Amino acid sequence: DGGITQSPKYLFRKEGQNVTLSCEQNLNHDAMYWYRQDPGQGLRLIYYSQIVNDFQKGDIAEGYSVSREKKESFPLTVTSAQKNPTAFYLCASSYRGVGKETQYFGPGTRLLVL
Amino acid sequence: EDKVVQSPLSLVVHEGDTVTLNCSYEVTNFRSLLWYKQEKKAPTFLFMLTSSGIEKKSGRLSSILDKKELSSILNITATQTGDSAIYLCAVEYGNKLVFGAGTILRVKS
């Protein structure tokens, strides 16, 4: 089945720890995105990547890092510099091009701080 | 600053009612406006609107864009409990989307 998968479903982070959230897609989409969702704030863009080996910061990139070594994969690392990491994290992907930017979302990872 | 504002923030209706959700935007280099439905996890795509005044329909849901007023509405007729969800509006500009905060819809039986 084609789609976007995220793992784990739930993730617990200790103080000072870096954690990595996985996002994989087999839709042959060029672009991939990471969003953070907090109650009452909609989705905010963390990082995005239009092609392999290239990515750009979104609106709230501080305390996060990404890599795009393969077209199918776009992992997000939440570093210890992110002081308020508790949130629901959504990965999305899309084709590139005007009118083709409909983004499809994975099931999300809920990150909690211990 | 680019922004998308949705109203109302939350809404409670009874089954069979018709609802109208609003989305207004201030975005440079507008390309399209998208509506998503989010139940428990991943938002699912509903509509993409690029042209003003052309209604898009899918069953009981419909949406229209007004580029002059920089806004869009999402209508749901004959609501059902399964319509209970967060409805997200997003505007595409450049190669990114900016999302509104969403409207929480609860349909009571």
Side-chain angles (χ1 to χ4, degrees):
Chain A
D1 283 1
I4 305 173
T5 58
Q6 290 185 241
S7 62
K9 188 175 177 180
Y10 294 96
L11 185 58
F12 298 93
R13 193 191 91 162
K14 295 179 182 178
E15 291 285 339
Q17 187 181 37
N18 291 355
V19 292
T20 298
L21 285 61
S22 168
C23 178
E24 305 276 332
Q25 55 96 2
N26 61 4
L27 300 167
N28 200 34
H29 284 168
D30 305 295
M32 297 186 73
Y33 309 80
W34 274 106
Y35 294 92
R36 168 180 172 142
Q37 187 174 32
D38 296 280
Q41 292 195 47
L43 277 65
R44 292 183 290 167
L45 182 65
I46 305 173
Y47 268 98
Y48 65 104
S49 168
Q50 298 287 296
I51 55 173
V52 174
N53 292 322
D54 187 46
F55 49 82
Q56 287 79 41
K57 292 182 178 180
D59 301 316
I60 54 165
E62 187 173 347
Y64 300 97
S65 66
V66 293
S67 63
R68 187 88 186 276
E69 296 177 2
K70 298 187 297 182
K71 188 176 184 178
E72 303 79 17
S73 178
F74 191 41
L76 173 75
T77 297
V78 184
T79 74
S80 57
Q82 173 48 246
K83 298 305 177 189
N84 184 24
T86 297
F88 188 51
Y89 290 86
L90 285 161
C91 177
S93 69
S94 72
Y95 290 111
R96 291 178 62 194
V98 176
K100 297 182 181 179
E101 295 285 346
T102 302
Q103 293 183 13
Y104 296 91
F105 288 83
T109 293
R110 192 164 297 278
L111 176 61
L112 300 165
V113 177
L114 295 177
Chain B
E1 181 185 331
D2 297 319
K3 64 179 181 180
V4 177
V5 178
Q6 292 185 245
S7 64
L9 290 180
S10 66
L11 190 57
V12 180
V13 300
H14 289 94
E15 272 193 313
D17 289 350
T18 293
V19 298
T20 298
L21 310 183
N22 300 283
C23 176
S24 63
Y25 60 91
E26 292 179 28
V27 169
T28 54
N29 300 316
F30 172 92
R31 281 191 176 177
S32 66
L33 186 145
L34 296 90
W35 284 97
Y36 288 86
K37 177 183 181 182
Q38 184 179 25
E39 293 179 81
K40 290 184 179 177
K41 294 180 182 176
T44 53
F45 172 75
L46 294 174
F47 299 110
M48 174 187 268
L49 305 162
T50 54
S51 300
S52 202
I54 299 175
E55 184 182 52
K56 292 215 171 178
K57 290 196 73 168
S58 176
R60 296 176 294 102
L61 277 67
S62 64
S63 184
I64 195 162
L65 176 67
D66 186 336
K67 284 186 177 179
K68 190 175 178 184
E69 296 296 326
L70 305 182
S71 67
S72 174
I73 59 170
L74 175 69
N75 280 320
I76 308 174
T77 59
T79 51
Q80 302 170 358
T81 55
D83 295 326
S84 296
I86 301 173
Y87 289 85
L88 297 166
C89 172
V91 173
E92 178 195 351
Y93 68 107
N95 46 22
K96 297 188 292 183
L97 294 181
V98 60
F99 283 82
T103 292
I104 301 171
L105 174 64
R106 181 177 162 216
V107 181
K108 297 169 72 172
S109 58

